[in-house]
Structure formats: structure tokens, C-alpha cells
Amino acid sequence: MDKELTSSIEKVRSAVKEELTHYLAEQRDYLTSIASELIPVCDALEDYLLEGGKRLRPLFAYAGFMAAGATPTRTDIRAMASLELLQACALIHDDLMDGSDTRRGKPAIHRHFESLHRQGSMSGVPEQFGAAAAVLLGDLALVWSDHMLHNAGLSHESLMAALRIHDEMRIELMAGQYLDVREAGEKEFSVERSLRIARYKSGKYTIERPLHLGAVIASPAQSEHGQLLNVLSAYGLPLGEAFQLRDDLLGIFGDPTVTGKPAGDDLREGKRTVLMAMTLEKASAPARRELQRDLGNPTLTVQRIEELRTIITETGAVAEVEKLIEGLATESKIAAQSSAIAADAQPFLLALADSAIRRSH
Amino acid sequence: MDKELTSSIEKVRSAVKEELTHYLAEQRDYLTSIASELIPVCDALEDYLLEGGKRLRPLFAYAGFMAAGATPTRTDIRAMASLELLQACALIHDDLMDGSDTRRGKPAIHRHFESLHRQGSMSGVPEQFGAAAAVLLGDLALVWSDHMLHNAGLSHESLMAALRIHDEMRIELMAGQYLDVREAGEKEFSVERSLRIARYKSGKYTIERPLHLGAVIASPAQSEHGQLLNVLSAYGLPLGEAFQLRDDLLGIFGDPTVTGKPAGDDLREGKRTVLMAMTLEKASAPARRELQRDLGNPTLTVQRIEELRTIITETGAVAEVEKLIEGLATESKIAAQSSAIAADAQPFLLALADSAIRRSH
């Protein structure tokens, strides 16, 4: 990627982090004025939000703002940075629901509070305390995301337009999350259903809606069905699906030192991904039986994971998913070059597309 | 209570239910257009929100609006009704965190989805699915509460003033919930800490902030530290504590056919209430040992609960809590008669105070 673009992406990331740092410091002052027992809550959320994260949603919001032909001010970046708090809620609750132990190489929030319970020799059951803390820290992050957006300092018009998109985005997120959780209860894998989940969880929530959010903050008078938002959807939805497909590949083939998740995590969890649905469709009967026996077994060894990877690759599903990613990326990049998008924004959108699909974590 | 007042309270309750019915029907249309798998989500939340509930928070918001000398329109009631969705989030997540099986005499949301999982012979662990569904339905209710408030149709000034109060209220709620969960991990009961939790969970969240919300929707230009909001705090905070103390009594002595919760639920759960903290402070050494042995034992028999009730009453703690409730109620009612509160609103506030503390569920 172009050095200049890499540096502008890094600058947005730093600005987002700076706004979050400032917001969280204010909230720490307030919460600890209520009770010192809230210090671990502040510590955990600061650690979660300031140490890592790709800042994808604020970056796409930034790109959407640029697509409308304007450059975000600090105020606008503050509003967009609030998306990181919403994402913190989604991840904290997700890890709890999946029973995942780690996130970005550190203990998941429920595990962290479980440890605090044990270290403090507190009364009751550590796991129950950890789960309750994860529910509440997620809720608090969700409420904070709203509070940060409301108080960013946007004009009335921009805020109203932002809230409309933001509300739709959050409803879509929760619907997508429920469908994802429910999918794990289905007897059979389904490419079609998994693609629909990818569309809601990644296409809309991660990419399309952040783009729209940035665009309407920049230009609140535009119609929700106007040309700019439509073109941003044409860029964002296929890119979001491609992003999720890359995630599927990383969930099975990713390097744990880079992803911060255990090797073959999706196999141990039996995650209903598009990749696995395609694999099962294409597999020979004996290969399918082998996979079905082992998927969702949390005690799979590293060696067994390696064997399952080979089976999956040999079905041709990996190559097909890679081809699908390429096709979606091309579709997305063509939309990025539409004349409805400000010329300055186009290289930025293309660079973000590359970083979303050519990533190792 | 005066018949006319009872009837106006009932009218507000009906209007709140009507707004919720309308909102939920719209959301059902939208969610089921995404996927038919979302029907059980809509069913469960409609059942939860339309079948029962005291509508306390919208009623206090209504009273706050009247206190500012105005009468709420349908639009205003719509905005206030959104508080029921926030409360649904709090209760759904609360029951999950506490492991409570029932709410209002029906299965708690996590138990309900556990049953759906079993009935549908779905793959995976029913308890994990139930817990995940409760996390997500709570999140969805929280997001809906915001969405309903944003779209109620308030003027810009009223909405902005409402959002300020609403955000503070939600942050206080989550802080109070965390302190409550954390309290269960303390080795010792504490009257002081339990009173602080009552202040955040009930004083502020249930009563003071809804009053403020109504008052600023009616009169958005007033200062946050102005006379009306201060007087509403002077009425609401003691009343909230009294409300929580009544809850403490009902949690141990309440009639399960009226409360919809099992008899002696707080004893089985070992809940850290002000009542129990006072009981342990006052109890003789042998009585204290007996209580400490049995508190938090989920298998307590009805007979044993009856014996524990006798021990608790004999310490004098019940009488002291009743006295405390009376004192707080008097303090609250004096504030309700302040000249800063519109004359029309005063009987309404007094009636609400009575219904909050002289209740059997």
C-alpha cells in the first residue's frame, strides 16, 4: 500500500485513540466518584479499548465522511470514535456467549473478572461473577457509545442524521448476532444462511453503516436513499462479506501469535461459517463424517487441527472462498471509483478495502 | 387512594401500553423481514413488555412532566414509554446474572429460550443458548429504548435535554448493577454499602431520573441544577430508597402468588439487602450463625424459610425497616408539596409515593 495512505490511516487511528483516551478518563473520574469498587471496571474497559483494535468502524466512517467531499474535524472524529465502544460491547458479549477464553491474546472480560474474584477470595462462584461482570461491562460500553456520540459536539442536523443510521445499525447488529447464535443450534450447515449472517454482522454493521454514518455527519441533508449512500452500500456490502470470509479463513488457518486467538479456534467451536458450510458441501462422504465428528470438540489437539486443515483445503473450499473474496473485492473497488464519491476519498476507500481483505488478523 | 387518582394512573398505564404495542408491532415487521428466525425474539419481548409490569418509570416521568406545570401529549408519553424497554433490558440481564428462573410468574427469558432450544431439538447446549439469547434480547431492548425515544417526535430542545438525563440515568444504572453484583462477593453484609446500591438502582434509576426526564421534556430550558429538578430529587431519592426497602421486605416475606417470584427468594439467593444487613447487625450470635449458614442455599425448604422469617422478625430488623420506610416516605411527601411543583401534580406525586411503598408486588 502507498506510504502516504498508510500514514493517513495511522493518523486516523491515533486520533480515534486520543478521543477514546480522553472520554474514558472523564468517565473514570465520574465512576470512581460514585465508588472505588468501580476502579476495576474502568481499568478493564480502558485496557480493552486503548490496547489494540483495528479501529475498522471509525476508519470506514472517516472514509464515508471523505466520500461526501469533506474532511472530518476533531468533533467528527470524536463522534465516529464512539463506534469503538459499541464494538467493545459486541465483543465482550460475544466472547461471553461463545465461552471464548481470550481476545487479542489476553483473557476475555468474563475470564478477567473471574480471576479478580479468585484473587480477591470473594464470596460466591467466580464463573458467575465473571459472566455478570461481562454482561454489565458490555452494557456500560453500549451506553457509553451513545453518550460519547451525543456529546461529541455535532450540529443538530448532523446528530439527528447520525442517530437515525446509528439506531438502524445497532438493531441490525443485534439481529445478526441472534441469527449467528441461533445458527449454532441448526442441525446442518448452510452456505445461504451463513452468508446472510455475514451480510448483517459484517456487511452492514462493520462497513456499510459506518460509511453511512460518516457520510451523513458530513452531509446531513442527503436522502437515505440518495446516490451517495447507495454507492457506499455498493462498495461496503460486498467488502463486508469478503471481510467475513477472510475471518472464516483466519479462524481456521490463522497464526495464533498474530490473531490473538488459539489455533483452529473455529474448529474447536464448530463455528457455522460460510467456509465450513462450503467444505461440507464439497467433501466426500468419509471426509464429511470425519469433519462432522470433530467440529465443535473443544479438546482438539494441534495435530488433529492440522489434519482437519488439510481435509478442508483438499475439498477445494479454501480456493473457492479465496475466489469469492477476489470477486467481492473487485465489485467493491469498482463502486469505490464511482463519480458519486469525492475523488480524494477514492484512494482511501481502495486502501481500506485492501486492508480489510488482505490481513493476517 | 382517591378514585380519580387511581383512574388517572390507570389511564397513563394504558397509554404507555398502547405506545409500546405500536412500537413493538413496527419492530416485528422490520425484524421478520430480515429473517423468520427472529419471530421468537419478537414474541418473547412483546410478551415481556405487554403482559404486566407496573410502568413505574413512565409514571414517574409523567409526574415529573406535570410537576413542570404541563400535561403530556401522546408524543411525550411515547418518549416516556421508552423507559419500559430500558427496564426490560435491566430485568432480562438481571435474571440471567442472578440465575433467577422466573419473572412475574413466568419463565425468565434465558429459561424460556432454553426451553425453545429443547423443544426444537436444536444442536448444542440449551443453557448456553438460553444465556446467549438473554444477553442479546437485553441488548436489543436497550437499543430499542433509545430508538423509541429518538423517534417519539419530541422537539429538538426536549430531545436534547432528555438525552442528557437519559444518558446519565443509564450510566448510573449500570454502575449500580455492577455494585450490586459485586456486593454478593463481599464476605460481610453492610448496611451502608447496601443503602448506596439502593440509592443508585432505585433512588436514581427508578424514580429521580424518570422524574427529571419528564420535567426536562416539558420544560427543556431549565437548568440541571435548577429548583424544579432539585425538588424532584428531594422527593424522588428518599422515595426510591423506601421503594427498595419495600422490595427487600417483599423478597423475604412476599406472597409468591402476588410477587410472581418464589417465596423467600432473597434468602435462597443470599441477596445483600439493607434488611438482611440490619438483621445480621442486630441478631444474637446463635441467630446470626443460623442465618449465615442458610443464606444463599438454593434448596431451602418452605418450612425452613418460615423459620428464618421468624428469626429475622425477632431481631427487630423488620420493624426498623418499616420505620425507615415511613420516615423516608414522609420526607418525600413533604418535598412533593413544595411550591416549586405545579399544584396539579402534587396529588399525583403523593399517590405514586403511596403506591411505591404500600405495595404487595
Side-chain angles (χ1 to χ4, degrees), chain A residues 316-331:
Chain A
V318 174
E320 186 161 327
V321 166
E322 287 287 6
K323 217 174 89 190
L324 210 49
I325 292 177
E326 277 316 304
L328 290 161
T330 304
E331 197 186 322

Side-chain angles (χ1 to χ4, degrees), chain B residues 96-168:
Chain B
L96 173 67
M97 295 187 293
D98 292 347
S100 303
D101 294 331
T102 56
R103 167 70 59 183
R104 297 177 196 142
K106 292 183 182 181
I109 291 284
H110 59 286
R111 293 282 177 239
H112 172 63
F113 278 82
E114 223 177 283
S115 302
L116 291 181
H117 191 281
R118 285 204 185 89
Q119 284 158 23
S121 307
M122 288 165 69
S123 286
V125 184
E127 289 78 7
Q128 194 183 0
F129 179 69
V135 168
L136 291 174
L137 267 72
D139 288 351
L140 180 61
L142 181 56
V143 169
W144 275 354
S145 73
D146 233 17
H147 180 240
M148 189 176 183
L149 175 59
H150 293 152
N151 293 287
L154 296 180
S155 71
H156 171 56
E157 292 70 23
S158 288
L159 179 59
M160 290 298 111
L163 291 183
R164 267 196 300 282
I165 303 284
H166 191 239
D167 282 337
E168 284 173 30

